[in-house]
Amino acid sequence: MDKTIRIALFASGSGTNVENIANYFNGKTTAKPVCVLCNKPDAFVLERAKRLNLDSMTFNRAEFNDGKKIMEYLGKHDIDFIVLAGFLWLVPEYLINKYPGRIVNIHPALLPKFGGKGMYGMHVHEAVKQSGENETGITIHLIDGNLIKPLLFGSTRGLPAVLVLVSVVVGGRIAGLVGMLLGIPAMTV
């Protein structure tokens, strides 16, 4: 039997993406989330991680930039793949070098529109609605150090732009796209 791909989830907020991804992979043997890393000690994602029986750790900016604490934690959990599931900091080079081609980011809009500083969570959906766009979606892209031209793996399109509360609808699709990246068929939402 092939080795189960062990996933680390990085998050900064409430953790709806983390929960949806964990639920999607629950019971699957090809891949499974094993831990959550968070840069905000009061983020609700840490509560979700407890409920989902995922180990978790927090870190500050200095620890993230230094890398020692992060790399020890990832090593302890034998991590193969990293998903940025609502994580708001840029990924340092040491992580990109350690996990080449194995870090993806979930962005709650169709890039390159509605990306950059301040474009996270509901801010993205509000900006899409205010812009008059008639469709929205998500983008999952590889983190390779190239901030200008992300390598797109997949996106969902055609969600009405007026649908501001898309986390429940999009959650399954996020997990499905991450699943496709790992060779697991997408779930139907």
Side-chain angles (χ1 to χ4, degrees), residues 12-92:
S12 297
S14 72
T16 54
N17 288 342
V18 166
E19 185 167 9
N20 285 316
I21 291 167
N23 288 337
Y24 175 80
F25 286 110
N26 187 28
K28 292 185 174 53
T29 57
T30 351
K32 73 175 194 169
V34 295
C35 60
V36 172
L37 294 89
C38 182
N39 59 324
K40 294 185 176 181
D42 59 345
F44 191 70
V45 69
L46 299 168
E47 272 306 307
R48 288 184 200 267
K50 278 183 202 167
R51 278 199 330 252
L52 295 163
N53 294 315
L54 296 173
D55 193 41
S56 64
M57 73 163 291
T58 59
F59 53 86
N60 60 36
R61 178 77 71 177
E63 291 166 330
F64 189 58
N65 290 338
D66 171 66
K68 187 175 190 290
K69 181 178 179 181
I70 305 296
M71 294 308 291
E72 285 175 1
Y73 186 79
L74 295 173
K76 174 181 122 181
H77 287 286
D78 195 24
I79 296 303
D80 302 303
F81 198 87
I82 295 173
V83 176
L84 307 177
F87 186 65
L88 300 181
W89 289 353
L90 294 178
V91 177

Side-chain angles (χ1 to χ4, degrees), residues 61-134:
R61 178 77 71 177
E63 291 166 330
F64 189 58
N65 290 338
D66 171 66
K68 187 175 190 290
K69 181 178 179 181
I70 305 296
M71 294 308 291
E72 285 175 1
Y73 186 79
L74 295 173
K76 174 181 122 181
H77 287 286
D78 195 24
I79 296 303
D80 302 303
F81 198 87
I82 295 173
V83 176
L84 307 177
F87 186 65
L88 300 181
W89 289 353
L90 294 178
V91 177
E93 209 170 306
Y94 71 83
L95 270 177
I96 294 168
N97 292 338
K98 176 69 177 176
Y99 295 94
R102 296 180 288 146
I103 304 174
V104 295
N105 182 50
I106 300 168
H107 183 75
L110 298 173
L111 291 174
K113 292 182 181 180
F114 308 105
K117 190 171 179 92
M119 289 291 113
Y120 63 91
M122 291 307 293
H123 300 289
V124 172
H125 307 301
E126 290 163 2
V128 170
K129 186 176 178 183
Q130 286 180 344
S131 76
E133 290 285 331
N134 58 10

Side-chain angles (χ1 to χ4, degrees), residues 137-154:
I138 65 165
T139 303
I140 296 179
H141 64 95
L142 179 68
I143 299 297
D144 69 346
N146 183 347
L147 298 176
I148 296 165
K149 225 188 229 181
L151 301 173
L152 296 183
F153 275 119

